[in-house]
C-alpha cells in the first residue's frame, strides 16, 4: 500500500496517473485515462464506461496550497457537474461535494482506498443526513494497464 501521508500534498493524487481498466458489478468493465496537464499542475481524468454502460465523464483536479486541499471538477454525459474538495485522511483520499437529488440536499463523496502501485479501489457514497452516515452508490476496482515495450 502507498502511504499518501508521506508525500508532498501536490503529489498525493499521483497514484491515480496512468491507463486503467476499471471494473464493477458482475464483470462490467470500462477504462480510465489519467494524466498531468498544464505544466503538470492539473490532473485530467477521462472515464469511459464502455462497453459495459453508455457513460463518459471527465474531471480536472488541482491541489490548492492556500486552502491546503484538493479540488476536483467532474462533468459527464448525464449532465452532472460536481465540484469536490478534500484530501488525504489517513491512508485514503476523500473528496466531498454538496448536491440536490429529488429536491433534497445531499452530500456526495469519492473515496480512493486500498491504494497500491498497480491497483486501487474507489467508491462514490451519498449522505442524506449531512455526512453523519454514508451509503455506497458505486464501487469500482482499478487495475493498471501494462503497456508493451
Amino acid at each position: 500500500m502507498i502511504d499518501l501521508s508521506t508525500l508532498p500534498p501536490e503529489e498525493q493524487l499521483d497514484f491515480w496517473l496512468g491507463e486503467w481498466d476499471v471494473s464493477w458489478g458482475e464483470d462490467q468493465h470500462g477504462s480510465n485515462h489519467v494524466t498531468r496537464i498544464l505544466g503538470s499542475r492539473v490532473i485530467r481524468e477521462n472515464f469511459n464506461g464502455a462497453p459495459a454502460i453508455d457513460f463518459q465523464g471527465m474531471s480536472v483536479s488541482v491541489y490548492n496550497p492556500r486552502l491546503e486541499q484538493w479540488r476536483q471538477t467532474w462533468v459527464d454525459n448525464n449532465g452532472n457537474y460536481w465540484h469536490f474538495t478534500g484530501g488525504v485522511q489517513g491512508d485514503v483520499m476523500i473528496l466531498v461535494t454538496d448536491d440536490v437529488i429529488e429536491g433534497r440536499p445531499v452530500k456526495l463523496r469519492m473515496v480512493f482506498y486500498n491504494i497500491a502501485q498497480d491497483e486501487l479501489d474507489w467508491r462514490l457514497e451519498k449522505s442524506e443526513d449531512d455526512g453523519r452516515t454514508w451509503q455506497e452508490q458505486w464501487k469500482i476496482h482499478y487495475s493498471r494497464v501494462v503497456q508493451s515495450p
Side-chain angles (χ1 to χ4, degrees):
M1 297 299 203
I2 297 173
D3 184 355
L4 300 177
S5 67
T6 65
L7 299 173
E10 62 277 2
E11 296 176 13
Q12 289 175 334
L13 201 52
D14 283 3
F15 66 85
W16 198 27
L17 298 172
E19 293 286 337
W20 299 95
D21 175 62
V22 294
S23 58
W24 61 93
E26 293 292 320
D27 198 32
Q28 296 184 32
H29 289 267
S31 61
N32 207 355
H33 176 71
V34 183
T35 60
R36 280 199 172 268
I37 61 170
L38 302 177
S40 293
R41 297 295 304 254
V42 177
I43 294 178
R44 177 175 56 196
E45 167 194 21
N46 288 300
F47 182 91
N48 189 341
I53 55 175
D54 179 22
F55 181 67
Q56 297 175 12
M58 67 169 291
S59 71
V60 289
S61 302
V62 64
Y63 181 74
N64 184 317
R66 290 184 323 280
L67 300 175
E68 297 183 340
Q69 66 182 359
W70 279 90
R71 303 179 96 183
Q72 182 186 95
T73 299
W74 166 267
V75 294
D76 61 47
N77 65 335
N78 287 338
N80 292 309
Y81 169 91
W82 292 314
H83 177 76
F84 290 90
T85 57
V88 171
Q89 295 182 27
D91 60 352
V92 300
M93 171 73 74
I94 299 176
L95 303 172
V96 181
T97 191
D98 293 313
D99 198 10
V100 175
I101 297 177
E102 297 176 354
R104 294 190 321 267
V106 298
K107 288 190 176 294
L108 299 174
R109 74 178 178 185
M110 295 186 299
V111 182
F112 296 86
Y113 63 106
N114 294 334
I115 300 166
Q117 184 66 33
D118 292 324
E119 65 179 347
L120 65 108
D121 292 305
W122 173 96
R123 69 180 177 259
L124 179 67
E125 300 174 334
K126 176 177 76 170
S127 175
E128 297 177 341
D129 58 10
D130 200 33
R132 287 185 293 283
T133 61
W134 296 91
Q135 301 86 42
E136 184 178 286
Q137 304 296 297
W138 196 15
K139 182 179 178 180
I140 297 175
H141 180 74
Y142 279 71
S143 298
R144 190 175 302 280
V145 174
V146 178
Q147 303 294 326
S148 299

